[in-house]
């Protein structure tokens, strides 16, 4: 079974631009969560999507948004990029949402650098 | 105070020894607990999860959970240089959101 895929793997943008990242979950998994990883803040939860609906949202500004499609693929968007948005963005796939008792599997991540 | 705490390390152990990684959490309602391994430049890889008090063993790995003490640990037996990585403890309370600790860097010396 193929794992979680994320595209692109690397991105370089300048301040003020916007960016869209894509994630395809493991086949059969319907929940997609997004996380941001930085050296200073570690791994932080952005949001979770299940059945095309945002189920949970972390403490990030409204510049960070996402969506999920009917095939469970998900995209996240960051508008008006700031230098502090430079990070590894990780997508995690799980079978279902609204359950503490299921595992999340991470994709390889997208490394975003904002200049 | 962070919700999930880990000693950042590095924790250095000789090859063949037992590595003991610890994690404490603040939310008594936490329901499930996960250990991820992350190699430098790579994404986290799930290695263990535990839901009930006690021990759970999987090969060289043992996860231990004590909900009364709000403490979860990971033991790695017969540590190998290839186990050198950052180990992330993650906790869920209700729902599917993972809250991560800062990670412990483990170094296994040949």
């Amino acid at each position: 079974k193929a794992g979680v895929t994320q595209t692109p793997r690397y991105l370089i943008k300048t301040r003020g631009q916007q960016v869209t990242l894509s994630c395809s979950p493991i086949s059969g998994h319907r929940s997609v969560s997004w996380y941001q990883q930085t050296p200073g803040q570690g791994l932080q939860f952005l949001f979770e999507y299940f059945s095309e609906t945002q189920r949970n949202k972390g403490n990030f500004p409204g510049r960070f948004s996402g969506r999920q499609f009917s095939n469970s693929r998900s995209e996240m968007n960051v508008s008006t990029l700031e230098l502090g948005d430079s990070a590894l963005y990780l997508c995690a796939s799980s079978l279902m949402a609204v359950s503490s008792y299921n595992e999340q599997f991470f994709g390889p991540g997208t490394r975003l650098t904002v200049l | 105070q962070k919700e999930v705490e880990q000693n950042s390390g590095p924790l250095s152990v000789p090859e063949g020894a037992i590595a003991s990684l610890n994690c404490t959490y603040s939310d008594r309602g936490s329901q499930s607990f996960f250990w991820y391994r992350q190699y430098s430049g790579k994404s986290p890889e799930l290695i263990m999860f535990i839901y009930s008090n006690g021990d759970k063993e999987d090969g060289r790995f043992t996860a231990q959970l004590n909900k009364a003490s709000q403490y979860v640990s990971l033991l790695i037996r017969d540590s190998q240089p290839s186990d050198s990585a950052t180990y992330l403890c993650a906790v869920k309370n209700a729902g599917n959101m993972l809250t991560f600790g800062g990670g412990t860097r483990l170094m296994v010396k040949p």
Side-chain angles (χ1 to χ4, degrees):
Chain A
K1 196 183 261 191
V4 181
T5 58
Q6 290 188 247
T7 57
R9 294 293 309 279
Y10 302 92
L11 265 178
I12 299 176
K13 293 285 187 179
T14 56
R15 279 181 299 174
Q17 288 187 308
Q18 74 164 21
V19 66
T20 299
L21 313 180
S22 180
C23 171
S24 292
I26 294 169
S27 177
H29 284 195
R30 296 173 61 195
S31 170
V32 173
S33 299
W34 289 90
Y35 294 82
Q36 180 197 65
Q37 187 173 33
T38 60
Q41 298 298 318
L43 260 162
Q44 294 184 287
F45 173 78
L46 280 157
F47 29 64
E48 179 193 15
Y49 285 87
F50 179 78
S51 292
E52 302 176 64
T53 302
Q54 188 180 93
R55 297 291 174 147
N56 211 343
K57 186 172 174 21
N59 190 25
F60 278 83
R63 300 185 296 108
F64 292 81
S65 63
R67 59 177 175 167
Q68 187 181 35
F69 303 95
S70 58
N71 61 358
S72 296
R73 190 177 70 84
S74 176
E75 289 181 347
M76 69 163 280
N77 185 77
V78 188
S79 62
T80 319
L81 284 166
E82 300 177 0
L83 295 179
D85 297 333
S86 294
L88 180 66
Y89 289 89
L90 292 158
C91 163
S93 161
S94 55
L95 199 56
M96 294 179 64
V98 200
S99 169
S100 299
Y101 302 106
N102 70 139
E103 302 91 83
Q104 292 188 16
F105 301 94
F106 284 89
T110 295
R111 171 80 58 190
L112 172 65
T113 301
V114 181
L115 302 175
Chain B
Q1 183 188 2
K2 288 195 72 175
E3 295 179 38
V4 181
E5 298 266 11
Q6 294 181 257
N7 189 317
S8 60
L11 172 66
S12 183
V13 300
E15 184 175 355
I18 295 175
S20 178
L21 303 158
N22 304 315
C23 171
T24 58
Y25 59 94
S26 60
D27 185 349
R28 284 199 170 274
S30 297
Q31 298 180 351
S32 52
F33 308 85
F34 303 81
W35 284 98
Y36 287 85
R37 177 176 63 198
Q38 187 172 28
Y39 292 112
S40 181
K42 301 294 186 183
S43 63
E45 172 194 8
L46 180 65
I47 52 173
M48 288 288 290
F49 58 89
I50 187 166
Y51 304 144
S52 304
N53 274 330
D55 294 0
K56 179 182 178 183
E57 188 175 315
D58 183 1
R60 296 187 297 114
F61 299 98
T62 299
Q64 299 175 315
L65 175 61
N66 184 325
K67 288 188 177 182
S69 300
Q70 295 175 245
Y71 176 92
V72 58
S73 64
L74 178 70
L75 301 177
I76 306 175
R77 288 181 299 281
D78 188 25
S79 295
Q80 301 297 308
S82 59
D83 294 326
S84 298
T86 296
Y87 289 80
L88 297 161
C89 171
V91 172
K92 286 189 197 177
N93 37 40
N96 202 25
M97 183 184 88
L98 286 167
T99 300
F100 284 87
T104 297
R105 191 158 73 96
L106 173 67
M107 296 172 58
V108 181
K109 298 193 171 179

